Amino acid sequence: MAHSTRTASLTIDGKTYELPIYSPTAGPDVIDITKLYAQAGVFTHDPGFTSTSACDSAITFIDGDKGELMHRGYPIDQLAEKSHYLEVCYLLLYGELPSAAELETFETTITRHTMIHEQMHNFFRGFRRDAHPMATMVGVVGAMSAFYHDSTDITDERQREIASHRLIAKMPTIAAMAYKYSIGQPFVYPRNDLDYASNFLRMCFAVPAEEYVVDPILARAMDRIFTLHADHEQNASTSTVRLASSSGANPFACIAAGIACLWGPAHGGANQACLEMLKEIGHPDRIPEFIARAKDKNDPFRLMGFGHRVYKNFDPRATVMKKSADEVLDLLGVENNPLLQIAKELERIAVNDDYFIEKKLFPNVDFYSGIILEAMGFPTSMFTPIFAVSRTVGWISQWKEQLADPAMKIGRPRQLYMGATARDYVEIENR
Ligand code: SDX
């Protein structure tokens, strides 16, 4: 916990309370209200947590005004350019960039955990073929707690580490199996001679009838997409994992909760919703119609892939993703991808529109990612599962950080009660 050097004075009905202020290594100061209810008998009120710090953390920092994102102090654009996903996983989990030997050991460990228990294959067959892959992932990841009993004791640091490795390693296998099941193709086992991204592509796109050769362009693009989605401070799904973990739930159940939260279109489901929106727009000429709908208070429509609770500037991940979209589509020979043209024109119009300027709405990580993923051969239903694969390392790093905090206690918010006050039961004959 940071050290308090100043206090904030809060006066209620003539009585003043001094609340400690803590200064972080970066970002806004925080006011500690942990003793406010005991001292003043009042709650603070912040639905949606727009102004609330829920925990200490040293993993990821976001400056929303500047549009900056750092993992353990390293800017995301440098990591996307110079690092790769498993190295970023190591950084998020352990706090420092690995030495060559540390990285090799870590990558070998993850590689050797990529298979899932053979009996888990049966879970997939319980789903309809047209089930959304996210539904399958919530079920199968939650069911991991029924198979990996030797890594569910959260009080045992070694078990916490094994669970972390298993989740990072097995999520691509489970996501690929959910995809294969949905298209009626046989499951493809992971290969230990392939890197993380290549393994995932092969498990998704290989078929027993022929050899699958991984395209290095796609592998690099896949790895970069994994890197860009790895962690993002206390977003909704990470907060869900932290809250689930605060009750002592096992890591697989906590990650299944995170997957469920990520699925929502306001969060990780936006990449699928954004591509579907671009397809509905269909032609640049129809952009003004959709911009008008997005601005209409009476229309629930929002520009998917736009806006963010924290970023009031460009999401730095969107900037990298936009550049990557140009590169990947060019390298794939997808000339003048119509959806990319619509997305670029939509961005150009929106960021110059007073409504979006005033509300500081910019493209976020989900705006361009779907265009790349579709060009790589993924159906829109696989966009959010890919986000979940990537974000698992963020969830589990934050889970580990919370469990290592001696001050951790179960999360239990209060409320502003606006319901009926006490009244006596009325017999049915008297109603
Ligand atoms: C992710 O938190 C994270 O870090 C998430 C994430 C991560 O890596 O974990 O970055 C991943 O979830 C990215 C966001 C993906 N979601 C979308 O692209 C869906 C579309 N965006 C919105 O629904 C919205 O912008 C949110 C949910 C992302 C943020 O919502 P907030 O912070 O609660 O803001 P708000 O809904 O209060 O909006 C503020 C104003 C409102 O207008 P007023 O009521 O003030 O008049 O801006 C408007 C909104 O109507 N607005 C939009 C808009 N987003 C906000 N108007 C049109 N189109 C939009 N996309």
Side-chain angles (χ1 to χ4, degrees), residues 352-398:
N352 290 297
D353 181 290
D354 290 344
Y355 173 92
F356 293 87
I357 293 168
E358 179 221 324
K359 294 183 185 297
K360 297 183 179 178
L361 303 174
F362 292 88
N364 60 47
V365 68
D366 294 309
F367 191 63
Y368 287 104
S369 57
I371 292 166
I372 302 174
L373 292 172
E374 181 173 74
M376 293 169 74
F378 291 104
T380 52
S381 60
M382 279 301 290
F383 293 2
T384 310
I386 287 167
F387 194 151
V389 168
S390 166
R391 186 51 60 86
T392 293
V393 66
W395 290 330
I396 210 69
S397 298
Q398 303 262 354

Side-chain angles (χ1 to χ4, degrees), residues 232 266-267 297 302-303 305-306 308-309 317 364 391:
H232 212 238
H267 190 14
K297 297 306 297 166
R302 289 194 166 182
L303 280 189
F306 254 78
H308 199 277
R309 170 62 58 77
R317 301 167 297 175
N364 60 47
R391 186 51 60 86

Side-chain angles (χ1 to χ4, degrees), residues 49-98:
F49 311 120
T50 55
S51 305
T52 293
S53 158
C55 61
D56 296 13
S57 183
I59 298 173
T60 291
F61 176 71
I62 303 169
D63 185 318
D65 293 329
K66 294 179 186 168
E68 291 174 356
L69 164 59
M70 297 189 293
H71 292 317
R72 304 287 191 178
Y74 295 98
I76 190 63
D77 53 323
Q78 291 185 31
L79 293 173
E81 188 61 37
K82 299 175 179 177
S83 185
H84 63 277
Y85 181 67
L86 280 190
E87 183 176 74
V88 172
C89 287
Y90 185 100
L91 176 65
L92 290 169
L93 279 170
Y94 300 112
E96 298 295 336
L97 289 171

Side-chain angles (χ1 to χ4, degrees), residues 193-228:
D193 61 342
L194 293 177
D195 64 70
Y196 194 87
S198 300
N199 228 341
F200 178 65
L201 290 172
R202 184 177 171 278
M203 288 190 286
C204 288
F205 297 125
V207 289
E210 60 189 28
E211 270 311 300
Y212 177 81
V213 179
V214 178
D215 179 332
I217 299 162
L218 296 185
R220 179 70 190 131
M222 189 77 259
D223 190 273
R224 181 171 291 177
I225 286 174
F226 284 147
T227 296
L228 291 172

